[in-house]
Amino acid sequence: MAGNPDAAHPPVVDRSTFEEHLERLRVREKAHTREGDAIAAARRRLPMVEVAGDSPILGPDGPTTLLDAFEGRRQLIAYYFMWWPGRPAADQCEGCTWVVSQVGELAYLHSRDITFAVFSQGRNTAYGFADAQESYEESVKYRNFMGWSVPWYSAQPALGSLLVGREPGLFHLVCYLREGDRVFETYWTKRRGAEVVDHSYALMDLTAFGRQEAWEDSPAHWPRLTQATRTLSGAPDWTPLEQPSGGRPTAQWPRLDAHHCDDLGTSPSGPAQPGEPGHCH
């Protein structure tokens, strides 16, 4: 960690000076909001491309289709979740865990005829596919361990066609529109585009120290705690992770503290054998 969080702070000024600086920033914030509105308006005017509504996916009741994932609604937002098949919960994607952990109440989306669902990819960019049904069952165990209630599918059976032109294994948000039995793709994003579902980073951005990540443009002595999505420990220390591997996705620690079992039926080297212990804590 760089900097001293106990010593670092913005300069102290009187109230009128503070409000003067804030008002100057408000001008930029309002321009940013208006530009965001203009971009959203342009997004609503994009063309769309047809995709196969009968694309096969796996759901809780077995094989199903992309069309069925709409649950009868007109629109669908699918989050394509990176997945390490045959690996324990601690090894799963911290970025995807962060994204889905932000998604709670779905009633607001449903009131606008939109279904939100997670499509587990069955792979990530560093590891190829395993058996689709086994990977799906592992991912469902992970969903249950994390306490998520969002609809959950595996897109592995049709991943190549559903993510045509994109790199499977990266996380994506994809928006679809249904016209009867025909399905159209209207928008997609990747990487930081997934921040649209976020509130944690958005709230951090309002604070004096921001996200405390190395890439940010912050004063020289501001604390740098590396990524917030994976840590070496949970409360009360939330020990930062200095290396790219190790620790756990941050949202897992409270689940372990509440004595939820993270056993996905796997071991670090592959699926657990009958009678082999899992990773319950």
Side-chain angles (χ1 to χ4, degrees), residues 79-189:
Y79 177 71
Y80 283 77
F81 195 109
M82 295 169 62
W83 186 252
W84 277 100
R87 301 292 284 271
D91 288 353
Q92 297 305 327
C93 177
E94 63 272 12
C96 290
T97 301
W98 155 70
V99 168
V100 181
S101 293
Q102 311 296 311
V103 181
E105 181 56 68
L106 297 178
Y108 298 103
L109 292 175
H110 293 172
S111 74
R112 292 297 182 265
D113 213 15
I114 301 168
T115 292
F116 181 91
V118 170
F119 283 13
S120 178
Q121 299 187 57
R123 62 155 294 172
N124 65 21
T125 56
Y127 193 91
F129 292 114
D131 179 79
Q133 186 63 44
E134 288 182 8
S135 290
Y136 176 61
E137 291 171 358
E138 290 170 7
S139 72
V140 169
K141 290 179 181 178
Y142 189 67
R143 168 191 184 250
N144 295 339
F145 162 58
M146 293 303 304
W148 298 327
S149 59
V150 295
W152 198 274
Y153 301 91
S154 170
Q156 183 174 333
L159 195 63
S161 59
L162 289 175
L163 292 182
V164 63
R166 286 150 285 193
E167 183 177 5
L170 290 178
F171 51 97
H172 301 280
L173 279 166
V174 183
C175 297
Y176 300 97
L177 176 67
R178 180 175 64 85
E179 294 285 344
D181 290 339
R182 300 176 69 188
V183 176
F184 300 85
E185 185 177 328
T186 63
Y187 180 74
W188 69 276
T189 190

Side-chain angles (χ1 to χ4, degrees), residues 19-49:
E19 295 294 342
E20 179 183 340
H21 281 263
L22 189 56
E23 280 304 309
R24 287 203 294 266
L25 183 62
R26 289 272 190 257
V27 174
R28 298 176 61 188
E29 289 179 334
K30 290 178 181 177
H32 177 73
T33 298
R34 294 188 189 102
E35 179 62 12
D37 291 341
I39 291 171
R43 191 180 294 117
R44 292 191 293 273
R45 289 165 172 80
L46 286 172
M48 61 186 184
V49 61

Side-chain angles (χ1 to χ4, degrees), residues 50-72:
E50 189 164 9
V51 297
D54 61 355
S55 296
I57 61 177
L58 296 175
D61 298 319
T64 186
T65 67
L66 175 63
L67 185 63
D68 290 331
F70 280 74
E71 297 181 345

